[in-house]
């Protein structure tokens, strides 16, 4: 009998179904965690359906993990059984390159080991993520979850939170900046809350009229309906930063026009080629920049959780019974979730 119950996809079209496998025995620096909650990120769906190519089946997705420590390896001093902890998108890296040395493990020169669908650096097995009852992770890739955060609604901070926090911090977003967030989904709604807490004036760009009132409730100062040409035109030359969470290929040019000179368009959602092509003139004539950003490093992930605890920030979540994960994916495809599904892992054990 395998020691861990989970849900997995066995092909791009299989859908998700119960699956079991063995988690490894503790290595000296390992932490064993019983998972209470796991967020459902759009990356899970991209990987399950092999949108980016290279998915390794079976895929056990999930990289927004919160749970309690159940055991620690002999060298672990930072955590002990009972601690509330989180695991995000990475579970290992080379730990010696300049990026790892700087706490930017996501940019590890050898490539970091992702929480699911990567090869474990020590035993070569494929990593499995948080749609499972437990996980075993090296302590460097475990963060402490402040006890004043509600664990279910804090789970998505481990990916949606850090992916939006990291570029906002890197580009020193703060008071006096106008920030636009493109797409109001899991990442987008966190981008609004975090940019607001950092002091920026925030505008959400959405296709969905139905999200306008909620965007304002979450702190957005303004809302632009991105499909309304007049509204887009009126926004020309007005933003310092755009944080783009749109998960599919889309035309960047109308958004670039909304940046001031020296403005920066930060891609976090778009992992596929840009289509149609960028109009270079829009960059050259205003010294505009197109940038990208990948999750965040481990020290920064802890900093983000502490920042959220201090500012009382969590995600807006819809609790999910894991048996309904296939329906949840269909709704995610339609941008019909407000704003993150979080799996209650008790439902895996029923
Ligand atoms: P969601 O599906 O929750 O949100 C994406 C939002 O984008 C939707 O709610 C919708 O907002 C908008 N959108 C969706 N489809 C379209 C479309 N065809 N045209 C225009 N807008 C659209 O996804 P997540 O927030 O979970 O993830 C967003 C992207 O970020 C994914 O591609 C994911 O893989 C990626 N990602 C990147 C990371 C990184 O490190 N860079 C880390 C984690 C995720 P609205 O209804 O308001 O228009
Ligand atoms: Zn994610």
């Amino acid at each position: 009998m395998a020691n861990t119950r989970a849900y997995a996809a066995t092909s791009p079209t299989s859908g998700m179904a119960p699956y079991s496998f063995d988690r490894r025995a503790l290595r000296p620096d390992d932490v064993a965690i019983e998972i209470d909650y796991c967020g459902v990120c759009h990356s899970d769906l991209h990987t399950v359906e092999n949108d980016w190519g290279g998915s390794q089946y079976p895929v056990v997705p999930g990289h927004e993990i919160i749970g309690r420590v159940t055991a620690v390896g002999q060298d672990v001093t930072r955590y002990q059984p009972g601690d509330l902890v989180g695991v995000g998108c990475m579970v290992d890296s080379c730990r010696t390159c300049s990026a790892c040395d700087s706490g930017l493990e996501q940019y590890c020169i050898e490539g970091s080991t992702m929480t699911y669908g990567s090869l474990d650096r020590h035993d070569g097995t494929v990593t499995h993520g948080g749609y499972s009852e437990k996980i075993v992770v090296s302590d460097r890739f475990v963060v402490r979850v402040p006890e004043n955060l509600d664990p279910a609604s804090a789970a998505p901070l481990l990916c949606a939170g850090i992916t939006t926090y990291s570029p906002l911090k890197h580009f020193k977003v703060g008071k006096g900046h106008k920030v636009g967030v493109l797409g109001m989904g899991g990442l987008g709604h966190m981008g609004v809350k975090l940019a607001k807490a950092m002091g920026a004036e925030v505008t959400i760009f959405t296709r969905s009229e139905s999200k306008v009132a909620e965007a304002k409730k979450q702190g957005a100062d303004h809302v632009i309906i991105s499909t309304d040409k007049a509204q887009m035109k009126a926004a020309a030359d007005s933003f310092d930063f755009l944080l783009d969470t749109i998960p599919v290929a889309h035309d960047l040019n109308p958004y670039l026009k909304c940046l001031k000179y020296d403005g920066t368009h930060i891609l976090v959602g778009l992992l596929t080629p840009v289509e149609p092509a960028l109009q270079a003139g829009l960059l050259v004539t205003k010294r505009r920049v197109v940038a990208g950003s990948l999750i965040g490093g481990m020290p920064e992930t802890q900093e983000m959780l502490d920042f959220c605890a201090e500012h009382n920030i969590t995600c807006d979540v819809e609790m999910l019974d894991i048996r309904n994960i296939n329906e949840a994916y269909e709704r995610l495809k339609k941008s019909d979730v407000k704003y993150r599904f979080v799996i209650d892992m008790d439902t895996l054990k029923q």
Side-chain angles (χ1 to χ4, degrees):
M1 251 295 269
N3 69 20
T4 305
R5 284 171 291 185
Y7 262 60
T10 49
S11 83
T13 52
S14 65
M16 300 293 293
Y19 174 72
S20 57
F21 65 98
D22 280 317
R23 288 288 185 199
R24 65 175 182 254
L26 287 183
R27 296 172 186 151
D29 64 338
D30 270 344
V31 174
I33 301 162
E34 180 172 336
I35 300 174
D36 294 324
Y37 302 104
C38 184
V40 176
C41 178
H42 207 114
S43 303
D44 301 348
L45 181 56
H46 287 308
T47 309
V48 161
E49 300 198 340
N50 202 22
D51 290 346
W52 300 327
S55 293
Q56 305 230 34
Y57 296 91
V59 174
V60 178
H63 57 207
E64 296 184 335
I65 298 164
I66 284 192
R68 296 264 173 199
V69 175
T70 54
V72 296
Q74 66 202 35
D75 293 347
V76 175
T77 53
R78 283 198 299 151
Y79 298 106
Q80 54 188 36
D83 287 351
L84 186 66
V85 293
V87 176
C89 302
M90 286 180 293
V91 289
D92 207 354
S93 67
C94 84
R95 308 178 187 209
T96 56
C97 72
S98 55
C100 291
D101 261 355
S102 312
L104 296 170
E105 298 89 345
Q106 76 276 31
Y107 302 124
C108 173
I109 286 163
E110 289 185 9
S112 47
T113 307
M114 307 316 279
T115 304
Y116 58 85
S118 271
L119 293 184
D120 181 275
R121 303 179 111 79
H122 305 277
D123 62 20
T125 56
V126 176
T127 56
H128 286 329
Y131 295 10
S132 60
E133 58 188 324
K134 54 184 185 255
I135 190 163
V136 177
V137 182
S138 164
D139 63 346
R140 177 170 173 154
F141 293 85
V142 174
V143 284
R144 188 173 293 281
V145 177
E147 293 276 352
N148 67 324
L149 288 176
D150 169 55
S153 41
L157 296 176
L158 276 308
C159 172
I162 185 61
T163 302
T164 47
Y165 181 89
S166 181
L168 294 171
K169 282 295 276 200
H170 177 74
F171 289 102
K172 301 189 171 54
V173 167
K175 219 170 157 37
H177 286 138
K178 290 193 178 179
V179 175
V181 177
L182 315 190
M184 185 151 158
L187 268 58
H189 93 291
M190 288 315 302
V192 170
K193 293 184 188 199
L194 292 167
K196 249 336 252 187
M198 291 174 189
E201 182 178 331
V202 182
T203 300
I204 186 96
F205 287 70
T206 177
R207 301 160 306 162
S208 312
E209 291 272 2
S210 69
K211 295 180 182 174
V212 172
E214 278 158 34
K216 295 222 165 128
K217 231 190 284 161
Q218 287 172 358
D221 299 288
H222 317 279
V223 180
I224 290 177
I225 302 296
S226 53
T227 45
D228 182 326
K229 287 207 171 100
Q231 288 191 34
M232 290 294 284
K233 202 164 171 208
D237 298 299
S238 54
F239 288 89
D240 298 286
F241 297 97
L242 294 174
L243 183 60
D244 185 341
T245 78
I246 296 171
V248 294
H250 57 282
D251 189 358
L252 299 192
N253 299 302
Y255 294 107
L256 291 177
K257 289 180 188 164
C258 298
L259 287 171
K260 292 179 186 167
Y261 75 89
D262 276 344
T264 305
H265 185 121
I266 308 161
L267 296 169
V268 292
L270 190 56
L271 299 185
T272 43
V274 174
E275 284 175 37
L278 280 180
Q279 289 173 21
L282 291 175
L283 302 179
V284 171
T285 57
K286 304 262 177 179
R287 200 162 59 184
R288 293 172 173 130
V289 176
V290 177
S293 186
L294 180 67
I295 48 174
M298 296 317 299
E300 198 176 37
T301 304
Q302 186 65 61
E303 178 189 304
M304 175 276 308
L305 285 173
D306 297 342
F307 179 89
C308 288
E310 190 190 327
H311 293 266
N312 221 353
I313 294 175
T314 51
C315 307
D316 292 20
V317 302
E318 188 172 330
M319 295 310 296
L320 183 69
D321 182 322
I322 199 164
R323 291 166 291 192
N324 298 328
I325 185 68
N326 292 308
E327 289 87 334
Y329 279 170
E330 288 312 308
R331 286 186 47 202
L332 191 56
K333 281 182 198 168
K334 291 188 232 147
S335 305
D336 172 29
V337 45
K338 293 187 172 165
Y339 283 89
R340 199 56 136 190
F341 286 116
V342 170
I343 300 166
D344 179 348
M345 217 48 74
D346 277 345
T347 59
L348 182 62
K349 300 165 196 164
Q350 285 162 8

